[in-house]
């Protein structure tokens, strides 16, 4: 009877062992002993779990697995290793999340508490499909200037009709935004130049006009639109063909702050003066000089079109600006005391741009 009992018990253990082997033949419980037994105590390398995508589990350089693997059951077939002798090993340990667990000089020791510090990942809609995107363009601009003044010196400064000029524009945008507080910001630099402008005043005196603007945008992207502040450096000059008191020349530098919105290739922006400076050929105006400039811009661009493998866009738009200037007058030139000049400028432009679509 006793022999039968031990024989039955032996059979039960035998069948239990077979059941364990048959039911889970490809599983292993992670741990230092199990890994050392599976790969050998002298193994040095990286351990991944691939099911189906590979995820870093642990690194062994000496006798310690870093980080310590959790005692969970995984499939043996999902475990993949990269030995220290593998040519790809130096490339893998140079990147996160493996790099912080190295025990080399300057790296974390195996017994040190390691905290992974990874850069926040921007949402997909905030990332442009390029590292640095650019566009270059040119076209025509049509302007009209109207002025009012309380002095005879500035009374002739007004265009008789619309006058054209050549327009050149360039843009450069960083495709990956940077994190600022809780916002994602896409920086963009623009360069605008108007040349070849000239117009006649009411007494048929010719004025020559040139405008250069450098806006710096800080776009805050959203899923369907983007908006943000812009800082603009503007340099504008007017010079007369007749150098007299009634036909003067000046260069005006304005530093503007504004806000812009882009929605479905539509662009609108509003700007105002932050600070300014003025230089005149004849210094009849004296400090204090006050310039209040207000500007509204509107532009619409097509989507990217391709011709002979060249991507291009066609843009059209306009702007309206109002400038109010007030300054003291040189008493040797005029006894009127205060100079007040208000001029408005309306512009319409068309531009052909080559390069990336920066309006997405």
């Amino acid at each position: 009877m006793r022999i039968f009992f031990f024989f039955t018990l032996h059979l039960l253990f035998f069948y239990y062992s077979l059941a364990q082997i048959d039911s889970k033949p490809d599983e292993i419980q992670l741990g230092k002993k199990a890994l050392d037994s599976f790969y050998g105590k002298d193994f040095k390398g990286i351990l991944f779990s691939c099911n189906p995508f590979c995820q870093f589990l642990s690194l062994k350089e000496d006798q310690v697995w870093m980080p310590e693997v959790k005692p969970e059951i995984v499939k043996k077939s999902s475990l993949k290793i990269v030995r220290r002798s593998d040519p790809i090993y130096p490339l893998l340990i140079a990147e996160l999340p493996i790099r912080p667990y190295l025990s080399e000089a300057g790296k974390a020791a195996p017994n040190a508490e390691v905290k992974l510090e990874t850069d926040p990942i921007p949402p997909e809609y905030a990332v442009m499909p390029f590292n640095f995107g650019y566009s270059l363009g040119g076209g025509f601009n049509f302007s009209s200037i109207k002025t009012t003044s309380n002095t005879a010196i500035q009374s002739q400064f007004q265009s008789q009709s619309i006058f054209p000029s050549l327009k050149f524009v360039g843009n450069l945008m960083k495709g990956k935004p940077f994190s600022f507080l809780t916002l994602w910001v896409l920086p963009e630099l623009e360069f605008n130049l108007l040349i070849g402008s000239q117009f006649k005043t009411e007494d048929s005196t010719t004025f020559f006009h040139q405008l250069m603007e450098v806006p710096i945008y800080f776009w805050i992207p959203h899923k369907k639109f983007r908006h943000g502040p812009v800082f603009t450096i503007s340099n504008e000059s007017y010079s007369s063909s007749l150098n007299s008191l009634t036909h003067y020349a000046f260069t005006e530098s304005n530093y503007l702050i504004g806000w812009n919105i882009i929605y479905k290739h539509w662009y609108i922006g509003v700007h105002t003066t932050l600070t300014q400076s003025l230089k005149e050929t004849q210094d009849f105006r004296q400090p204090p000089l006050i310039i209040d400039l207000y500007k509204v811009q509107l532009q619409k661009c097509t989507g990217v079109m391709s011709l002979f493998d060249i991507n291009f866009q066609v843009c059209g738009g306009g702007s309206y600006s109002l400038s109010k200037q007030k300054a003291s007058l040189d008493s040797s030139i005029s006894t009127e005391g205060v100079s007040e000049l208000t001029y408005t400028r309306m512009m319409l432009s068309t531009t052909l741009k080559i390069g990336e679509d920066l309006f997405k």
Side-chain angles (χ1 to χ4, degrees):
M1 189 68 179
R2 181 179 297 179
I3 295 175
F4 177 76
F5 173 77
F6 282 112
F7 179 74
T8 303
L9 187 64
H10 177 75
L11 286 178
L12 288 175
F13 277 110
F14 178 73
Y15 284 116
Y16 175 77
S17 300
L18 286 179
Q20 289 292 98
I21 295 174
D22 292 339
S23 60
K24 299 180 181 178
D26 188 37
E27 292 184 347
I28 184 175
Q29 184 175 8
L30 295 180
K32 182 179 183 303
K33 292 183 178 180
L35 292 177
D36 287 347
S37 175
F38 194 64
Y39 296 111
K41 292 184 178 181
D42 296 328
F43 170 79
K44 293 182 180 180
I46 309 168
L47 177 65
F48 295 91
S49 175
C50 302
N51 188 27
F53 304 106
C54 293
Q55 180 182 3
F56 167 70
L57 289 181
S58 189
L59 167 73
K60 186 180 180 185
E61 287 189 290
D62 299 313
Q63 301 298 320
V64 181
W65 290 91
M66 286 292 296
E68 184 178 356
V69 289
K70 297 179 181 179
E72 55 186 9
I73 298 175
V74 299
K75 290 184 178 182
K76 294 180 183 179
S77 59
S78 68
L79 297 178
K80 307 295 179 183
I81 60 172
V82 177
R83 297 184 182 275
R84 197 167 185 174
S85 57
D86 197 302
I88 201 175
Y89 181 85
L91 301 177
L92 293 175
I93 63 173
E95 301 294 335
L96 293 173
I98 301 174
R99 184 178 59 195
Y101 296 102
L102 298 178
S103 60
E104 301 171 357
K107 303 295 182 180
N111 58 350
E113 182 181 354
V114 178
K115 294 183 179 180
L116 290 177
E117 295 183 3
T118 58
D119 295 331
I121 300 175
E124 185 178 353
Y125 64 82
V127 181
M128 302 295 282
F130 46 73
N131 186 20
F132 280 94
Y134 74 93
S135 69
L136 299 172
F140 297 95
N141 190 86
F142 302 91
S143 306
S144 176
I145 295 176
K146 293 184 178 181
T147 64
T148 58
S149 176
N150 69 330
T151 65
I153 295 176
Q154 299 161 309
S155 61
Q156 304 298 325
F157 179 58
Q158 181 164 306
S159 63
Q160 286 182 329
S161 60
I162 296 174
F163 58 94
S165 58
L166 294 176
K167 179 180 181 179
F168 298 95
V169 60
N171 296 75
L172 180 65
M173 175 186 281
K174 188 177 184 296
K176 184 178 180 180
F178 66 87
S179 179
F180 177 72
L181 299 178
T182 60
L183 302 173
W184 290 102
V185 180
L186 280 167
E188 180 183 358
L189 178 67
E190 183 174 304
F191 176 79
N192 289 310
L193 179 64
L194 295 182
I195 60 174
S197 307
Q198 65 180 54
F199 61 93
K200 289 185 179 295
T201 59
E202 294 176 351
D203 61 354
S204 297
T205 301
T206 302
F207 263 85
F208 302 95
H209 171 246
Q210 182 172 304
L211 173 64
M212 182 185 68
E213 290 182 332
V214 181
I216 304 172
Y217 302 93
F218 298 94
W219 296 111
I220 301 170
H222 297 271
K223 289 184 178 181
K224 294 185 178 181
F225 71 99
R226 68 174 182 260
H227 65 101
V230 57
F231 175 74
T232 304
I233 302 172
S234 174
N235 187 275
E236 188 171 8
S237 64
Y238 292 91
S239 59
S240 170
S241 59
L242 179 62
N243 189 15
S244 68
L245 289 179
T246 56
H247 304 99
Y248 58 97
F250 68 91
T251 299
E252 181 180 318
S253 296
N254 286 293
Y255 304 89
L256 301 98
I257 189 73
W259 202 269
N260 302 285
I261 298 175
I262 285 181
Y263 175 72
K264 291 185 177 180
H265 290 87
W266 283 93
Y267 164 93
I268 186 170
V270 292
H271 312 264
T272 188
T273 310
L274 193 62
T275 183
Q276 70 289 124
S277 62
L278 185 73
K279 292 183 179 180
E280 297 178 300
T281 303
Q282 299 177 18
D283 297 327
F284 64 90
R285 284 185 284 187
Q286 295 180 334
L289 171 67
I290 299 174
I291 300 177
D292 293 320
L293 177 62
Y294 307 95
K295 185 177 180 182
V296 178
Q297 288 178 287
L298 180 66
Q299 184 176 235
K300 175 67 169 70
C301 290
T302 65
V304 170
M305 296 177 283
S306 182
L307 181 64
F308 303 115
D309 294 330
I310 299 176
N311 295 330
F312 66 92
Q313 290 176 287
V314 178
C315 300
S319 67
Y320 174 85
S321 61
L322 171 64
S323 178
K324 294 183 177 182
Q325 303 179 6
K326 187 175 182 179
S328 299
L329 281 174
D330 189 341
S331 59
S332 63
I333 296 178
S334 174
T335 59
E336 297 183 48
V338 177
S339 164
E340 293 183 359
L341 171 65
T342 299
Y343 74 88
T344 59
R345 183 178 61 216
M346 290 174 286
M347 289 186 173
L348 294 175
S349 64
T350 178
T351 312
L352 177 68
K353 292 186 175 183
I354 297 175
E356 303 282 357
D357 185 1
L358 305 184
F359 285 82
K360 286 185 177 179

